[in-house]
Amino acid sequence: MTSFHIPYIVPTVLLAAALVLKAPTFLRASRDPDVRATVLLLACATTVFVVITPVTIHQLNVVTGVENIAAPIAYSLLTVFCSISLTMIMRWREPPSRRRRRRMGVIYWLHAGIVAMLWVTFGMAHVPKPRIYDLDTYYATTPWMREHILLYVFTHAVSALFAAFMLWTWFSQVTERWLKTGVVFLQVGFALGLMFDTTKLIAVVARWTGDNLDFLSTKVAPPFALMEAILVALGFIAPQVGPFLQGWGRNQLAYWRLRALWRTLRSTKAAAATAHFGLWTPLDLRLMQRQQRIHDALRVLGPFFDHGFHQLAFTTASATLAAEKARGLAGALAIQDAVDAYERMAPCDTTDQPAQIGSDVSDHLDAIACALYRPNLLASFRQRLSQAESAHTSA
C-alpha cells in the first residue's frame, strides 16, 4: 500500500505550502473576492488529495462506519474545485458586471446541484465492500453507483472543456507576463484533466462490456489528476504571487546591494529615520528605511565631501570604464574620504564648491554600493589617483 501513498505526497505538500503562503494575504485582504476564491480553490485541491490517499480512505471508513464514504467527499470537493476554477477564469476575463455575476451564480448553483446529486446517488447505491484503489471500476455496473461515477467524471470533463475553451479564446488578448504564464499552466492542467477523465471513462465502459481495463483507472489516470491539480493551482497562483515574488526579489537585491554603502555611512549617526524594524517587517519598508538613512547620512557628510576629488576620480575612471561604473567608483572613493574627514571633524573648504552632495552622487547609489563590495579595486584605483596627483604636482 505504501507505494500508492508516495505519488500523493508531493502535490499535497505543494498545495498545502501554497495555501499556507497565501494565508497572510487572505488575512489582510479577506474581502477581496479573488483572494477568497484562490484560498478556497487551494483548500479544496489540498483536501481532495488528503481524502483520496489510501490511509485516509481507510480511516474515513472506520471513523464514520460508512464504507467508501471518501468517494462522495472527494468528488464533491472536486466539483467545488471545478466551479471555482470556472468562475476565477471569468473574473480574469471580464470586468465586473451584472451579466458576469449572473453567469457565475448559474455556475455555482449548477455545481451545488451536482454535489447534492452525488450524495443522493451514493446514498441510494449499495456499496458494502470497501475499495481503496479501484472503486470506480469495481462498482461501474452497480445501480446508482454507476450514475454517481459518471456524474463526477462528466462534470469534471465538461468543466475542463469549458475552461479550456474560455482560456483559448482569451489567450491572444493577454499581455501581462505573469497572467499569460498562469493561462499556460491552466491550459496544460485542464488538458491533463481531460486525459484523466478519458482514461477513467474507458475503464468504466470496459467493465460495462465485460472487459477489464482497470489499470487505466488505477495506474494511468491518477498521475494525470496529480499533475492537473498542481498546474491548475499554479495557474491561478502565478498571476497573484508572481508579481509579488518579482518585486520581493528586486527589493531584496536592492536591500542587500545598499548594505555596504550603509555600513560605510553608519558612523555619521544620521538622526532621521531612527525607527528600528524587526525581521518580520515587510521588506519594502526596510528598504525604504535604508535608503532614507543613506540620504540622511549624505546630507550630514555635505561639508566634508571633496567635490574636486570626486570629479577627478570620475574623469580618470571614465577613461577606462563605462559611465555608470565610473560614477560608482568615484562616488565610493569620495564618500570614503568624506566619512574619514567627518570622523576627524575636518570639513572641506566650501568656498569654491557646493555645500551639499549633489545628484551626481545621490542618483548613483546602486553603482556606488556595488563599488564598495570591491575593496581591492578601490585600493588599486586610489593608488593610481595618488600617483597621477604626485606626477601632476612634480610637473
Side-chain angles (χ1 to χ4, degrees):
M1 184 180 291
T2 305
S3 62
F4 284 88
H5 296 181
I6 295 174
Y8 299 101
I9 293 175
V10 174
T12 304
V13 170
L14 289 176
L15 290 167
L19 184 60
V20 170
L21 291 174
K22 197 67 180 173
T25 305
F26 176 72
L27 294 176
R28 289 195 304 268
S30 59
R31 295 185 178 182
D32 187 329
D34 288 347
V35 173
R36 287 202 307 266
T38 304
V39 171
L40 185 56
L41 180 139
L42 290 172
C44 286
T46 305
T47 309
V48 167
F49 280 106
V50 172
V51 170
I52 64 175
T53 54
V55 64
T56 306
I57 293 174
H58 174 71
Q59 288 299 321
L60 284 172
N61 291 339
V62 172
V63 171
T64 63
V66 180
E67 303 298 350
N68 303 306
I69 189 65
I73 294 175
Y75 300 157
S76 296
L77 289 169
L78 184 61
T79 302
V80 173
F81 179 88
C82 291
S83 68
I84 299 172
S85 298
L86 291 173
T87 54
M88 280 286 289
I89 295 171
M90 288 182 177
R91 291 181 192 276
W92 287 358
R93 278 172 45 107
E94 307 169 22
S97 66
R98 182 178 299 178
R99 179 175 177 271
R100 190 191 77 169
R101 189 165 57 251
R102 185 169 57 249
R103 290 172 63 203
M104 289 170 59
V106 169
I107 289 174
Y108 285 136
W109 281 109
L110 182 61
H111 284 78
I114 292 170
V115 169
M117 292 172 63
L118 284 169
W119 284 95
V120 170
T121 52
F122 179 78
M124 298 181 69
H126 182 61
V127 286
K129 188 172 183 180
R131 305 302 300 183
I132 302 296
Y133 307 116
D134 61 347
L135 178 125
D136 293 339
T137 50
Y138 185 84
Y139 288 113
T141 58
T142 302
W144 294 109
M145 195 60 187
R146 173 183 57 220
E147 287 76 14
H148 180 85
I149 295 164
L150 289 177
L151 188 59
Y152 99 81
V153 171
F154 276 115
T155 298
H156 186 260
V158 171
S159 296
L161 278 172
F162 189 41
F165 172 76
M166 287 195 296
L167 291 168
W168 180 262
T169 56
W170 182 50
F171 183 77
S172 60
Q173 304 172 31
V174 180
T175 56
E176 202 278 319
R177 182 164 65 97
W178 284 105
L179 183 56
K180 208 174 192 88
T181 301
V183 171
V184 171
F185 278 134
L186 289 172
Q187 287 279 48
V188 178
F190 287 125
L192 292 172
L194 288 172
M195 294 298 295
F196 166 81
D197 298 322
T198 302
T199 51
K200 279 281 185 183
L201 192 58
I202 291 173
V204 169
V205 172
R207 279 293 188 125
W208 295 351
T209 60
D211 295 320
N212 188 330
L213 296 177
D214 289 7
F215 75 94
L216 291 176
S217 179
T218 58
K219 301 286 188 180
V220 178
F224 290 129
L226 300 177
M227 289 304 301
E228 179 201 8
I230 294 173
L231 290 174
V232 171
L234 286 174
F236 284 122
I237 293 172
Q240 299 178 38
V241 177
F244 166 78
L245 291 177
Q246 186 176 1
W248 182 88
R250 186 169 53 247
N251 288 342
Q252 184 68 50
L253 180 62
Y255 186 78
W256 175 85
R257 193 163 48 221
L258 291 173
R259 181 172 180 267
L261 178 56
W262 169 238
R263 288 174 67 88
T264 302
L265 296 170
R266 196 162 50 185
S267 63
T268 61
K269 297 181 173 57
T274 57
H276 294 286
F277 292 152
L279 291 175
W280 298 107
T281 303
L283 180 60
D284 55 346
L285 291 181
R286 286 189 283 132
L287 174 61
M288 187 185 304
Q289 184 196 53
R290 177 162 287 181
Q291 291 169 334
Q292 184 60 50
R293 285 178 169 178
I294 288 172
H295 284 287
D296 291 342
L298 291 178
R299 281 195 289 271
V300 172
L301 286 180
F304 305 89
F305 189 85
D306 190 339
H307 292 268
F309 174 74
H310 175 256
Q311 185 59 42
L312 173 63
F314 173 67
T315 303
T316 305
S318 296
T320 55
L321 297 174
E324 189 63 16
K325 289 186 177 180
R327 286 285 181 195
L329 196 60
L333 291 173
I335 285 175
Q336 285 180 334
D337 285 359
V339 170
D340 182 62
Y342 170 84
E343 292 174 347
R344 292 184 288 108
M345 281 294 128
C348 296
D349 183 3
T350 58
T351 304
D352 298 323
Q353 66 177 18
Q356 292 297 326
I357 297 174
S359 59
D360 53 346
V361 173
S362 60
D363 288 351
H364 305 276
L365 296 182
D366 281 353
I368 293 171
C370 288
L372 288 169
Y373 278 107
R374 304 179 67 183
N376 292 336
L377 176 62
L378 289 174
S380 174
F381 189 71
R382 186 181 290 280
Q383 186 177 8
R384 281 176 54 195
L385 284 175
S386 298
Q387 291 172 352
E389 286 181 328
S390 299
H392 178 72
T393 302
S394 299

